[in-house]
Amino acid sequence: MTKKVVFRADRIATMVESDAPYGLIENAAIALDAGTIEWVGKQRDLPARFADWEVDDFGGRLITPALIDAHTHVVFGGNRAAEFEMRLNGATYEEVARAGGGIVSTVSATREASENELLDSALPRVDALLAEGVSCIEVKSGYGLDVETELRMLRSARRIQQHRPVRIKTSFLGAHAVPPEFKDRADAYIDEICIPTLRAAHAEGLVDAVDGFCEGIAFNTAQIARVFDVARELRLPVKLHAEQLSNLGGAKLAASYGALSADHIEYLDAEGVAAMSNAGTIAVLLPGAFYTLHETQMPPVELLREQNVPIALATDCNPGSSPLTSLLLTMNMGCTLFRLTPEEALAGATRNAAKALGLNDTGVAAAGLRADLAVWDVAHPAELSYRIGFNPLHKRIFGGI
């Protein structure tokens, strides 16, 4: 049950954009009522109207907005540990594929799993994220690649918040890959499966946004545009896996549709960055995939900074290229691999992650927003990105609880 309470702490990193790094307030207090932040400021300035509210004193700990994972594939069947081992024992991509590995193996396992089985297998991954102070998780479809399984994935994703105290945002990713039965017929797949499934999922209330994979091994810009045209017709926002392995102009296309985000973007050029900046499209960086795939092409972080494109960070939790369920480790990777600052990393997992999901009621600690917070056993917010494999979470507050 929510209650009227004032939290005290040595520091609150509000992540509100201001002259103060991290929007940091020293000797701070934050007042919560019925799941909403009522006031934030210095303890000495606490208004008299809060004088009789319950007080929780967190002493030398740090309070931040709860973390947000803005790009995941946590609902899927099976795993790909066997092919991970095969590759490390010298098997080529072709040999792995001939053995039934790759995305085809995940599609097969996902198609075979029931809705309950998909939910049950996703929950431990969700629990790992919640244990690190995550309050909101974006979940994509895209491993069914047929009408029935894509809908089943989305239903499973929606049900997560019935079983865990977390906010779930779903993205329809029917344009993820061409399934084996449509080999060399990508256009037919878009027309016969992807678009009809999008319409069915929307009719069932299962879709918060529409995503796609624009890449040589997936779909070209013209094919993605056909899907985005339907999203626009249905008044659904779009986002896109773009410029991960090459530059097909996916981010520029996404920006032309006012996309919430363009994700991966290692091969993004200046023209694409400018398009994103003009459209207000968030750059979602996914260092887990960069790490797992041994990539060397860095995303254009300095160009993003110069063009004032907000940068988000996410786990990209998936069974193949990023089997990662730690947003804290993702923040460290963002700093060590992509040279983000710790402040940029924390903003990427809070304020900018919220923007990447089209959320305006969370991501910063400010009056009038949701009371989704994390209390950490650290003295300074830079410690959240500095440590490797260490979880300093003291308490997660979700909706004021």
Side-chain angles (χ1 to χ4, degrees), residues 147-308:
V147 177
E148 179 185 347
T149 315
E150 287 291 302
L151 294 176
R152 191 159 66 243
M153 288 186 71
L154 291 167
R155 293 186 194 114
S156 299
R158 280 281 197 246
R159 288 177 58 195
I160 290 170
Q161 57 194 8
Q162 299 172 14
H163 294 263
R164 295 293 187 272
V166 66
R167 192 175 186 183
I168 298 294
K169 302 296 286 185
T170 57
S171 295
F172 173 76
L173 183 56
H176 191 196
V178 180
E181 62 268 27
F182 280 85
K183 188 177 187 300
D184 300 323
R185 295 191 300 130
D187 285 299
Y189 169 75
I190 292 291
D191 293 334
E192 297 173 23
I193 301 296
C194 182
I195 289 175
T197 307
L198 170 56
R199 293 187 182 280
H202 175 259
E204 201 173 318
L206 297 174
V207 184
D208 295 317
V210 177
D211 201 346
F213 187 19
C214 186
E215 193 55 74
I217 60 173
F219 299 96
N220 61 37
T221 54
Q223 291 159 343
I224 294 294
R226 299 214 309 272
V227 178
F228 282 5
D229 284 342
V230 176
R232 176 179 284 170
E233 174 196 330
L234 299 175
R235 299 184 178 180
L236 291 169
V238 301
K239 47 181 51 241
L240 189 64
H241 293 60
E243 275 72 81
Q244 180 185 8
L245 306 172
S246 63
N247 186 354
L248 297 186
K252 184 178 178 182
L253 171 75
S256 75
Y257 283 84
L260 292 173
S261 71
D263 303 27
H264 288 289
I265 63 167
E266 281 90 336
Y267 285 82
L268 183 65
D269 59 14
E271 186 178 6
V273 173
M276 290 175 63
S277 179
N278 291 333
T281 298
I282 308 303
V284 180
L285 305 187
L286 305 170
F290 182 92
Y291 166 86
T292 301
L293 297 175
H294 301 280
E295 294 293 341
T296 57
Q297 176 73 30
M298 298 269 288
V301 170
E302 194 55 44
L303 274 177
L304 296 170
R305 289 170 176 151
E306 291 173 4
Q307 293 290 324
N308 297 312

Side-chain angles (χ1 to χ4, degrees), residues 76 78-85 87 101-106 143 318-321:
F76 57 84
N79 70 73
R80 281 150 65 181
E83 68 184 72
F84 173 75
E85 185 173 39
R87 286 197 305 272
I103 192 172
V104 173
S105 68
T106 298
Y143 288 122
N318 72 66
S321 64

Side-chain angles (χ1 to χ4, degrees), residues 36 57 64 79 109 121 134 139 171 183 266 283 345 366:
T36 300
D57 194 334
T64 71
N79 70 73
S121 66
V134 171
V139 182
S171 295
K183 188 177 187 300
E266 281 90 336

